[in-house]
Amino acid sequence: MKPYKVPAILASEITPKQLFYARRKFMRSVGGATLAALLPQALWAASPFSDIKKSTFSATEELTPLKAITSYNNFYEFGTGKEDPAARAGSLKTRPWTISVEGEANKPKVFDIDEILKMAPLEERIYRLRCVEAWSMVVPWVGFPLAELLKRVEPTGNAKYVEFVSLYDPGQMPGQKSSVLDWPYREGLRMDEAMHPLTLLTLGLYGEVLPNQNGAPVRVVMPWKYGFKSAKSIVAIRLMEKQPTTSWMKAGPNEYGFYANVNPEVDHPRWSQAKERRIGEFLKRKTLMFNGYAEEVASLYAGMDLQRYF
Ligand code: MTE
């Protein structure tokens, strides 16, 4: 991955968040029956969330506009360019979809995505997302803690790590015809990180289901880690005794570590991590330790050498 370059999005193309929410309010007030008559099936099906709680974990910063969140993406299964996922991810079929939660578990299970959608109360979590390439966004995700899913399979005492596996299907994901990464995309966490209340199993953003380019139908988000940890379009979660090797560790073991905690004091070998560019802003801002979530997560790493375990 490369450091940040200014994206080619005009301010005039951006939907202000007030306008976005006003539109949603209007759609709700028009009423289900009328809407169903007016909208094509695909669009109507895109709004399954009726009740979303606000979360106390939310950041209070200004949201990044929806347009930027959905048009400036990293999703190498659809190409390495930032505009590729928005242009090409339309080919991804998100139904039927299952996630197999397997490995070190007493009750491993294949969950249907529609079962997962109803598994726990949905929350809106406004999180800062800091990419390793030194840009950042503020995103109103919709989801629930990953722990809710993991506890249903009853992890065994040997479950020390989890591995996330994204979909492998070169027919739908043209970027997989290139060997830029070792497919399928794999990421991982230590078990205590996976069970941490900030780790979000994510199903939507801005009150709607995830757009394909953001990892539909389900991804994870860990706001204190670099964005590459948050695997998209997940089909399996494996509970493991040994630390898994992730796709980015294979691609560049000196550049992308297993922990990948946001840390302004540990530079990437090819660029500094001290500052970041918030998408839509001109001046860089200082990167915060653990992306500003130190109070919640620093204790997970007490006594660890964060230069070594980067
Ligand atoms: N997941 C998969 N399967 N493939 C990817 O290429 N890119 C990662 C992460 N998850 C990626 C992925 C990177 S580098 C980042 S920064 C975030 O997704 C970007 O998420 P966003 O496009 O929703 O902002």
Side-chain angles (χ1 to χ4, degrees):
M1 278 183 272
K2 298 191 207 89
Y4 179 85
K5 277 206 212 93
V6 178
I9 304 171
L10 299 172
S12 60
E13 281 176 32
I14 290 171
T15 309
K17 75 165 191 259
Q18 294 81 352
L19 185 60
F20 177 83
Y21 278 116
R23 235 182 251 161
R24 272 184 63 75
K25 208 169 151 203
F26 167 75
M27 304 230 297
R28 283 213 197 88
S29 67
V30 170
T34 329
L35 244 194
L38 287 174
L39 290 178
Q41 193 55 36
L43 252 182
W44 174 241
S47 270
F49 309 143
S50 51
D51 190 20
I52 305 173
K53 302 190 294 178
K54 299 261 179 246
S55 168
T56 46
F57 285 118
S58 281
T60 49
E61 285 152 282
E62 191 174 336
L63 301 181
T64 300
L66 176 68
K67 177 85 181 176
I69 294 171
T70 57
S71 59
Y72 187 83
N73 300 97
N74 276 328
F75 200 170
Y76 277 24
E77 285 87 335
F78 296 99
T80 56
K82 300 287 183 249
E83 282 103 36
D84 291 341
R88 300 163 87 185
S91 57
L92 178 65
K93 285 222 320 272
T94 58
R95 290 293 186 289
W97 193 281
T98 56
I99 301 191
S100 173
V101 188
E102 57 193 46
E104 290 292 343
N106 291 322
K107 294 187 174 164
K109 187 177 163 179
V110 179
F111 294 89
D112 190 85
I113 186 67
D114 292 311
E115 183 182 358
I116 290 179
L117 274 163
K118 288 184 234 121
M119 186 171 278
L122 292 174
E123 294 173 29
E124 179 172 82
R125 294 271 187 104
I126 300 170
Y127 278 166
R128 289 179 287 274
L129 179 83
R130 167 57 159 88
C131 188
V132 72
E133 298 161 296
W135 49 265
S136 63
M137 297 189 184
V138 182
V139 184
W141 303 109
V142 177
F144 58 80
L146 175 67
E148 292 292 332
L149 172 62
L150 294 182
K151 66 190 189 202
R152 275 165 217 251
V153 301
E154 296 182 9
T156 71
N158 291 333
K160 304 279 194 306
Y161 294 90
V162 303
E163 178 182 52
F164 304 107
V165 186
S166 298
L167 179 68
Y168 178 71
D169 185 347
Q172 294 191 64
M173 297 177 141
Q176 289 178 331
K177 289 171 190 151
S178 134
S179 53
V180 59
L181 284 176
D182 185 34
W183 308 111
Y185 194 95
R186 288 169 198 274
E187 258 307 333
L189 293 173
R190 218 170 53 191
M191 196 61 190
D192 56 347
E193 299 177 320
M195 298 300 286
H196 193 279
L198 279 181
T199 297
L200 196 70
L201 190 71
T202 304
L203 301 153
L205 61 83
Y206 264 108
E208 303 288 344
V209 293
L210 280 176
N212 286 358
Q213 59 267 39
N214 294 92
V218 57
R219 68 181 291 177
V220 282
V221 180
M222 289 71 70
W224 73 98
K225 292 182 177 280
Y226 291 120
F228 67 89
K229 298 298 289 178
S230 68
K232 295 175 166 181
S233 304
I234 296 170
V235 294
I237 300 177
R238 303 206 172 112
L239 297 157
M240 298 167 77
E241 190 164 8
K242 300 241 160 65
Q243 181 181 300
T245 303
T246 69
S247 295
W248 280 107
M249 287 164 77
K250 279 191 192 158
N254 302 320
E255 304 200 356
Y256 309 103
F258 178 76
Y259 284 91
N261 292 317
V262 174
N263 189 339
E265 285 155 28
V266 178
D267 287 336
H268 185 281
R270 291 185 281 133
W271 62 84
S272 163
Q273 293 292 23
K275 290 188 175 175
E276 68 200 53
R277 178 114 47 207
R278 180 69 50 87
I279 297 291
E281 290 180 359
F282 183 68
L283 293 176
K284 287 188 179 175
R285 45 170 85 209
K286 278 189 179 158
T287 289
L288 303 173
M289 188 64 199
F290 296 113
N291 202 24
Y293 298 91
E295 214 173 288
E296 289 88 354
V297 300
S299 61
L300 295 173
Y301 311 103
M304 267 174 72
D305 176 352
L306 299 179
Q307 295 276 344
R308 181 166 172 214
Y309 297 103
F310 60 95

